[in-house]
Structures are given as structure tokens and as C-alpha cells.
Amino acid sequence: MTGVAILGAGDIANVHIEAYKKLSGRCRIAALADIFLQKAQEKKEKYGLDCDVVEDYKELVDREDIDLVSVCLPPSDHCQAVTAFLKAGKHVLCEKPMAPSLEECDQMLAAAAESGALLSVVAQNRFKPDIMRTKKFLESGALGELYFAQANSLWWRGDNYYDLWWRGTWAKEGGGCTFIHAVHHIDLFLWLMGDLKEVSAMVSNQNHHNSEVEDVSISTLRFENGAVGLMVASLLHHGEEQKIIIDGEKGSIEIPHKISVNRQMPNGYPEDDEEARTGFEEAFQAMEDLSYREHCGQIENMLSAIEQGGKPLITGEDGRKTVEFISAVYQSAFTGTRVALPMDRKDLFYTREGILSKAVKFHEKKKSVENYADMGIKVGGTL
């Protein structure tokens, strides 16, 4: 039985608790920690947990009954907490984004390598059936050479969203829509398309006046496999319509799921190739379904890795790649340069200090509240 601690009792902790409860035959929540002790106590009571509640997570580092830690803290606190538990030999599932800087990501990876404990970064969208099938479909080579990919990470948030004390500042949150929201799509983009070669970007804050950080970003990309791409992240889109499009030699595939195949007429214009599309669709639908999905799917995968001595599907290295993408976007946007990957210590935006020295504060944060009522998360999009 894997003993679990959850650090942070905000909205996202609900999802972790519900997943662990669904897998209760294999794990037990032993402790909840939050600097607002009452929030953690309320979570315990809400879910009927038989666990300890503490204010300081450091009290849990050496607990022998804790094997796995879900880190649901603000991104600026990830590195310190994750490295402390990894060095103590505890496995860690860290909420995304992994950390506000590549330097911190590398410190977390070094702690995992030194201790031998597992580190996984949350990317729950991989554990959706059609997304997992899309990955396997691309791996089969069905589309042939990949030419172009586009991700639309489109959300809507009102001004009040940034009133929460840690949101909307470069120092505490680490970034805006590119860092906090597009992280979902960036992970999928890289997982489906492979590593990036270069990034060119612009960012802006158009309509969030209690926030230092961006609410829209546009990035042009070149992948190592030769494909080019476009990434748009925004908190301005009413309706929150989200999409990933991948165009290849033999057809196109989209998330939410859609497969299209054209063939050319003698004049080069397209006509539908329904026979080829039907064949692709049948192959896609024949792929295996998932027993567990989204956060529950990733937590089950992490438990299996612990139990069987293997690796989780999503590693710390995967989490670093997402932060590297975001760091490249900010470095490009705030220095006016095209950024080549991989990024390392030579890059100004490798460290948090480098980011803070150059990132533009679009507005001054003037309002701050400690906590919102437990209203739950309004999750946008259709991915």
C-alpha cells in the first residue's frame, strides 16, 4: 500500500484526492499540508479522509509511512518542496508547470537522479483516449512526413482571477497564459511532434489590469523533424475553444478528434479521399481504450511505476521540455531574438533571476486576496 501526502489544499488538490480515493485499494492518503491549515482540514472533512493535517510540509519529509507526494503548490514553491522529498527518497508527482525556470527544473532532476526516486510532472491530457490514440497513430507513420502543426490554447479569465495573492506576478506565478494555461497544450505538442529546434515569439497583456504577466502569446516554431508550427495562447477567447492540428504528407489529424484526407484533382485542387480517410479512422478507433483517464490515469501510471520498479509515462525530463519551450518564448519575446534549443546555462532566461531582470511587467498588481471560497475549477476547452 503506497502512502501518499498531498501538499497544497487548493482547487487542484480535489482532483488528486478523488483519484487516490478511486485507487484506494493500492494507496492511502496519509497527510495533507497547507499554509492555511483550515483549508487542509476542510479538505479532510469534505472527503472523509483518515489522515494527518499539517501547516508545514517539512514535517512530512521524513515520515516512513509516506512513499509518494503530490505537489499541488504554486509553481514558485515547486523546486524547494520537490527536491526536499526526492532527497528523502520519496517519489514525487508535481503539478504543472514543473518550475518557473530551467535552473530549478535541473535541480529537481538532479535530486531524482541522486536518490533514485521517481519524478513525474502532471500532464493529464495524455491520458485521454483520443489523445493517446493520436500519439499511437502518429507513431505508426500513417500520415507520412509531418509538415505543419498548430496549437490553439484559448481560454477566458476575468480580472478577478488575478486577485489571488500568488497569481499575476513574475516572482510568484512565474508567467502568464503561456506558463500556466498553455502548459497543457505545449506538453502535448512536444509529445506528438518531437523536440523543438527554434522559437520566435511575441507576448502582450491586452485586458488583465491586475496582472504583471501576459494574457496572450504567439509563437512560430521549427521542430527537429523539419516540421514548422504555430502556438497561440490566450486568456481572451470567449468560448475557450482549444485545438491541435497536425498536417502530414498523407492526411491531417486534429484534437478534438478529426481525420481529413484529400487527393488532388488534375488541376491541383483538392477532393475528399473518403476511402483513405475511412481506413485511417478504422485503424484509429481499433486502438486500445484506457482503463483510467486524466489525473486518475496519470496517478495510476505513477503507482504502477512505483509498484513494478519502472518509469512513469511522463517523466521529469518531459516536464523540463515544456518549461524550456516556455522559457524560449519569453526569451524571444523580451529580447527580440530567435531562440535556438536546447537551452542551458548560457541562456539569460535559464535562471529565475534572468527572467525577472528582463520580463516586462505589463501592469502593477494592486489587489490581492488570500483565498477564494471553495468554488471548484471551471475547466475550459474540449481537448
Side-chain angles (χ1 to χ4, degrees), residues 11-266:
D11 284 335
I12 198 62
N14 295 334
V15 184
H16 286 249
I17 292 169
E18 289 163 5
Y20 286 120
K21 285 176 67 71
K22 190 173 291 187
L23 299 163
S24 59
R26 297 162 62 185
C27 59
R28 172 186 172 270
I29 298 174
L32 298 176
D34 197 282
I35 58 172
F36 300 107
L37 195 62
Q38 184 61 31
K39 283 177 65 177
Q41 185 63 38
E42 289 170 358
K43 284 284 189 291
K44 174 181 176 178
E45 294 170 2
K46 175 181 177 179
Y47 288 102
L49 301 176
D50 179 17
C51 69
D52 295 326
V53 172
V54 301
E55 186 174 3
D56 187 349
Y57 68 76
K58 295 183 180 69
E59 296 178 33
L60 307 176
V61 170
D62 295 321
R63 286 263 298 257
E64 293 185 358
D65 61 335
I66 294 173
D67 310 292
L68 170 63
V69 180
S70 271
V71 176
C72 303
L73 302 171
S76 60
D77 295 331
H78 284 181
C79 183
Q80 183 178 16
V82 169
T83 54
F85 282 95
L86 287 171
K87 288 178 179 179
K90 313 297 186 186
H91 307 294
V92 176
L93 176 62
C94 180
E95 266 295 340
K96 71 281 184 187
M98 184 174 177
S101 72
L102 288 169
E103 181 181 44
E104 292 164 284
C105 292
D106 286 343
Q107 291 172 6
M108 295 156 73
L109 290 171
E114 181 180 345
S115 70
L118 298 178
L119 170 61
S120 181
V121 178
V122 172
Q124 79 278 7
N125 283 321
R126 293 196 195 184
F127 291 90
K128 291 184 176 180
D130 279 357
I131 291 176
M132 188 68 76
R133 291 186 181 111
T134 299
K135 171 65 172 175
K136 293 178 179 178
F137 184 78
L138 291 171
E139 286 180 335
S140 75
L143 292 188
E145 184 179 354
L146 301 182
Y147 295 144
F148 173 77
Q150 178 171 343
N152 294 335
S153 183
L154 306 180
W155 310 72
W156 190 92
R157 293 293 183 270
D159 261 353
N160 292 351
Y161 178 79
Y162 280 110
D163 291 355
L164 195 61
W165 64 275
W166 57 270
R167 286 183 181 149
T169 66
W170 289 103
K172 294 185 180 72
E173 191 167 23
C177 60
T178 319
F179 186 61
I180 297 296
H181 295 82
V183 62
H184 300 272
H185 302 84
I186 292 168
D187 172 77
L188 292 179
F189 220 24
L190 298 176
W191 188 48
L192 297 172
M193 292 297 297
D195 292 340
L196 278 173
K197 186 174 183 179
E198 61 182 27
V199 174
S200 182
M202 64 168 289
V203 302
S204 181
N205 184 312
Q206 297 292 102
N207 193 42
H208 290 84
H209 305 293
N210 193 39
S211 168
E212 299 174 356
V213 298
E214 88 284 357
D215 62 12
V216 64
S217 71
I218 302 169
S219 309
T220 56
L221 319 166
R222 186 174 298 276
F223 293 91
E224 288 286 355
N225 62 13
V228 294
L230 178 67
M231 176 86 202
V232 181
S234 170
L235 298 184
L236 308 171
H237 183 70
H238 296 259
E240 300 193 317
E241 296 164 324
Q242 302 170 14
K243 181 177 285 191
I244 293 176
I245 303 167
I246 298 174
D247 297 330
E249 175 188 2
K250 299 177 181 179
S252 298
I253 191 166
E254 300 180 15
I255 303 170
H257 178 65
K258 180 183 178 182
I259 294 177
S260 303
V261 183
N262 289 330
R263 58 180 172 231
Q264 64 171 332
M265 295 187 294

